[in-house]
Amino acid sequence: MTFNGNSTSTNEKSSTDPADAFGALSDPLRIDILRALGDYHHETEFKTTIGFADLRRRVGVEDPGRFRYHLTQLRGNFVEKLDDGYRLTFAGAKIIAAILMGTYTHSITKDAVELDSDCFVCDNPAIATYENGNCVVSCANDHPLFSWQVPPTAAADAMLPEIVDLAELLARQGMERTLNGHCPECYHTIESEVATEQAEPPVFRAQCETCGARLISPVGYCLLVDPRVVAFYQRHGYNLHDYYIWDLPFVQNEDLYTLVEEKPTRVEIDVSVAGETLTATVNETGHVIDYRLVGE
Ligand SMILES: [Zn+2]
Ligand SMILES: [Zn+2]
């Protein structure tokens, strides 16, 4: 894990080997130190560093030598020392957030729930499940309809339909970030493509070289956050986001996709509402480059 923030500290030795970096978190006391730094950061508005003695008191360690030893193990990757004290690095803050989100500790499972939606392949009811951070919607025949990750803290007290709503929100935001060139998970740059050669119908694909996050969806997903498509629904009195993503005809129905050009890729997608059709042209990276309105 690397961090390229605007750190002003010097002589910090950070390890880029994940095993070394995470090895530094092997002692529970070090997690307590990160938590104390995180708590301090939340309590204070401007001053984000805390002195050695204050920090030691907060963590509740009597022996300064022992405390210094453990604090030193965190230096570089997770904690940085400035002139007036210590604070979390970007990676340290992310680790604490992940621990608080339950990413590394909770395993939450919810009983399957039938949704008010039918599988577009076999017409059986759509069934949602939540397990190990994954919200999955499929049917009795296991046709994949939708899946997205939802952090355990967000799922813990929620009913499954609420988790599905959140998963859909995260999916839309994920598409928006990806189409803007940023990985939804780690925010590094990500490249996307509309694959047409082997896949029939065309699919949208993006894979992050930095964190490995991967996104594969019907090409219609590219229209979910498109302002013209959202406005088109609105103009007819509908809210696009009131529908389950997999229920939207322009997402599920491959007959609405037309490959009009192979190199460079141009796919036309028909979005029809109340007898009016908006045809959006999507390019090789999944971006809408043209619209055409066709009346009844
Ligand atoms: Zn099915
Ligand atoms: Zn990433």
Side-chain angles (χ1 to χ4, degrees):
M1 184 175 290
T2 56
F3 169 57
N4 300 313
N6 53 353
S7 161
T8 54
S9 60
T10 52
N11 301 321
E12 300 284 351
K13 242 181 63 198
S14 64
S15 171
T16 50
D17 180 345
D20 284 353
F22 284 103
L25 301 174
S26 59
D27 192 300
L29 176 58
R30 297 179 201 161
I31 302 294
D32 290 344
I33 295 173
L34 294 182
R35 275 181 188 272
L37 284 165
D39 288 346
Y40 183 74
H41 178 71
H42 285 295
E43 289 165 20
T44 53
E45 215 165 326
F46 300 110
K47 186 176 158 59
T48 54
T49 59
I50 178 170
F52 179 85
D54 280 350
L55 181 59
R56 182 172 62 82
R57 260 194 300 278
R58 276 175 174 255
V59 180
V61 176
E62 293 286 324
D63 177 357
R66 175 168 171 254
F67 186 70
R68 184 175 300 281
Y69 169 74
H70 287 290
L71 182 58
T72 304
Q73 301 303 311
L74 294 167
R75 291 271 301 275
N77 282 312
F78 304 113
V79 173
E80 59 188 350
K81 184 175 188 298
L82 306 186
D83 291 341
D84 53 352
Y86 297 85
R87 71 176 181 190
L88 292 172
T89 61
F90 180 79
K94 287 287 176 196
I95 286 287
I96 281 300
I99 289 169
L100 295 177
M101 283 200 300
T103 307
Y104 299 134
T105 47
H106 289 238
S107 78
I108 292 170
T109 301
K110 303 270 177 181
D111 289 336
V113 166
E114 263 186 29
L115 300 175
D116 184 19
S117 164
D118 294 327
C119 170
F120 57 79
V121 183
C122 69
D123 274 341
N124 279 302
I127 298 166
T129 57
Y130 180 81
E131 200 172 346
N132 296 328
N134 287 308
C135 174
V136 176
V137 180
S138 64
C139 67
N141 292 316
D142 285 334
H143 293 128
L145 301 178
F146 173 78
S147 92
W148 203 266
Q149 293 188 328
V150 174
T153 34
D157 299 324
M159 308 287 281
L160 205 29
E162 294 165 356
I163 300 174
V164 172
D165 284 348
L166 178 59
E168 289 190 289
L169 172 68
L170 296 176
R172 285 193 295 269
Q173 292 176 339
M175 278 306 294
E176 193 166 19
R177 286 193 186 135
T178 304
L179 287 170
N180 278 296
H182 293 280
C183 168
E185 288 296 320
C186 74
Y187 309 106
H188 266 252
T189 52
I190 191 170
E191 283 180 15
S192 56
E193 63 162 349
V194 172
T196 54
E197 278 161 25
Q198 301 190 334
E200 185 70 40
V203 293
F204 176 81
R205 263 203 312 238
Q207 172 137 14
C208 176
E209 298 298 328
T210 307
C211 76
R214 198 169 50 168
L215 215 147
I216 302 175
S217 72
V219 73
Y221 268 62
C222 298
L223 305 188
L224 288 178
V225 288
D226 186 90
R228 283 285 294 267
V229 174
V230 173
F232 182 63
Y233 268 73
Q234 235 159 28
R235 190 152 55 75
H236 288 286
Y238 301 101
N239 181 350
L240 178 60
H241 303 324
D242 283 347
Y243 300 89
Y244 289 124
I245 291 175
W246 61 91
D247 275 347
L248 291 166
F250 66 84
V251 166
Q252 62 171 241
N253 187 352
E254 57 195 71
D255 294 341
L256 300 176
Y257 301 158
T258 311
L259 181 62
V260 288
E261 217 177 304
E262 202 121 21
K263 281 191 170 65
T265 304
R266 298 287 182 266
V267 178
E268 285 185 352
I269 305 172
D270 288 341
V271 180
S272 298
V273 182
E276 199 178 22
T277 298
L278 178 72
T279 299
T281 307
V282 170
N283 71 2
E284 69 276 13
T285 51
H287 294 88
V288 181
I289 54 168
D290 196 23
Y291 303 91
R292 206 172 66 238
L293 204 54
V294 185
E296 199 159 10

